[in-house]
Amino acid sequence: MRHTHLPDGTQLPVLGLGTWRLGEDAGTRQEEIRTLHAAIAMGYRLIDTAEMYGEGGAEQVVGQAVADAIRAGDVHREALVVVSKVYPHNASRRGTVAACERSLKRLGLDHIDLYLLHWRGNHPLEDTVAAMHALVAAGKIRHWGVSNFDVDDLQALAALLRQGEAGAPGCATNQVYYSLSERGPEFSLLPWMRERQMPLMAYSPIDQGVLAADAALAAIARPRGLTAAQVALAWISSQPGVLAIPKAGTLQHLQQNLAASAVELDAFERQAIEAHFPRPRRKTPLAMI
């Protein structure tokens, strides 16, 4: 597994696992827990969730799967990176702390490794940041970051942090929609983040499964015995300063995604990809799902 790094040098795998739409149906919850446990057993070490997913249901699924994997001896807690997010409407100074406490309870953990503001809302950023700093100081979270922030949002956040307390923990990452079919972040957002050694977490890197059926990617994949989805993941996970968090609902897809993180695309394959999915030539609004 290749790795990227947070600004403080903390290492993160370039491939994690998303959990959007998990925990919504009590009838499938046990199967979801078993699948997540299996993912950890096969080598996944970063799991992304949020209080929004299943209104806390996904966090419960993640928490049980993590507990089962630790109890079975498949992983040590220190080896896992658990990511969760606070709703914007909960992101006041007190509300962020309370939301984090609820997430910790659902996850059954004593700390969250990376806690994100899900998107920018009506609460002042300075209040959310103050809460994040308090949570770090209390040991409730290890790092904090944001999601669905474009360059202007990050610039506003950076200005706020410059005015704040010296030595306070800064923003560790920004999670956005980024895939071969949505390359908008490459125009200005990704360069801005790379300059500051802030990794981009790419959600929906297979475009909610659309890229798995792409004929051009399938043509590149076929001679190597890969799938179109694996080529899409190999491309995005090889971008400097980027890590991808695709969701996978079956053991086969989990294994294929994990294998994709080790695939090295050659120059001809990259040229074919660039021809089919050209990079942006102008700034576009940040896409969100």
Side-chain angles (χ1 to χ4, degrees):
M1 176 71 72
R2 295 190 297 271
H3 291 82
T4 188
H5 298 85
L6 297 178
D8 71 350
T10 298
Q11 187 170 266
L12 297 180
V14 297
L15 186 79
L17 183 61
T19 63
W20 184 39
R21 306 309 299 268
L22 296 189
E24 296 181 354
D25 184 348
T28 60
R29 184 163 296 192
Q30 290 306 310
E31 181 60 30
E32 291 169 351
I33 291 169
R34 285 191 291 270
T35 300
L36 278 180
H37 181 178
I40 295 169
M42 71 176 63
Y44 283 87
R45 292 295 177 263
L46 187 149
I47 303 175
D48 176 82
T49 190
E51 67 169 337
M52 185 186 82
Y53 302 165
E55 293 299 319
E59 289 179 323
Q60 292 175 330
V61 168
V62 169
Q64 188 60 59
V66 167
D68 290 349
I70 292 173
R71 186 164 46 248
D74 295 319
V75 71
H76 294 294
R77 170 65 182 96
E78 295 75 18
L80 289 174
V81 179
V82 178
V83 185
S84 195
K85 311 178 195 74
V86 57
Y87 261 129
H89 62 256
N90 285 336
S92 65
R93 190 174 299 220
R94 290 184 177 180
T96 300
V97 173
C100 182
E101 293 285 2
R102 292 192 297 271
S103 289
L104 286 168
K105 184 175 182 179
R106 288 188 291 263
L107 288 162
L109 300 175
D110 61 4
H111 73 273
I112 294 170
D113 299 280
L114 185 52
Y115 196 46
L116 311 180
L117 172 60
H118 211 146
W119 63 89
R120 191 171 181 179
N122 294 325
H123 288 294
L125 277 179
E126 53 263 38
D127 288 351
T128 308
V129 170
M132 293 294 193
H133 288 169
L135 287 167
V136 172
K140 300 295 184 180
I141 63 175
R142 295 286 171 83
H143 303 89
W144 68 274
V146 295
S147 181
N148 297 301
F149 271 43
D150 209 342
V151 173
D152 56 343
D153 299 312
L154 289 177
Q155 288 172 333
L157 180 60
L160 175 65
L161 291 171
R162 284 194 296 270
Q163 298 168 8
E165 181 182 350
C171 179
T173 189
N174 181 24
Q175 185 180 122
V176 301
Y177 177 22
Y178 178 40
S179 69
L180 274 171
S181 45
E182 183 46 67
R183 296 183 65 176
E186 291 180 33
F187 187 82
S188 58
L189 177 60
L190 187 52
W192 193 95
M193 294 177 63
R194 282 173 175 158
E195 287 177 5
R196 290 151 183 84
Q197 298 180 317
M198 181 190 298
L200 182 151
M201 299 182 71
Y203 71 76
S204 294
I206 314 175
D207 200 8
Q208 295 185 288
V210 172
L211 293 177
D214 186 85
L217 292 178
I220 295 168
R222 199 171 299 114
R224 299 184 59 169
L226 301 172
T227 66
Q230 284 180 302
V231 172
L233 283 178
W235 178 86
I236 201 163
S237 63
S238 68
Q239 303 303 306
V242 174
L243 63 101
I245 48 170
K247 180 189 172 186
T250 67
L251 293 180
Q252 181 183 31
H253 285 159
L254 285 168
Q255 292 164 342
Q256 289 174 344
N257 290 354
L258 198 60
S261 68
V263 172
E264 297 283 353
L265 299 171
D266 63 32
F268 295 103
E269 291 166 335
R270 289 185 175 278
Q271 288 173 3
I273 290 170
E274 292 287 336
H276 189 57
F277 298 100
R279 66 186 62 195
R281 296 185 178 181
R282 60 183 179 83
K283 172 68 178 172
T284 57
L286 186 66
M288 290 178 58
I289 296 178

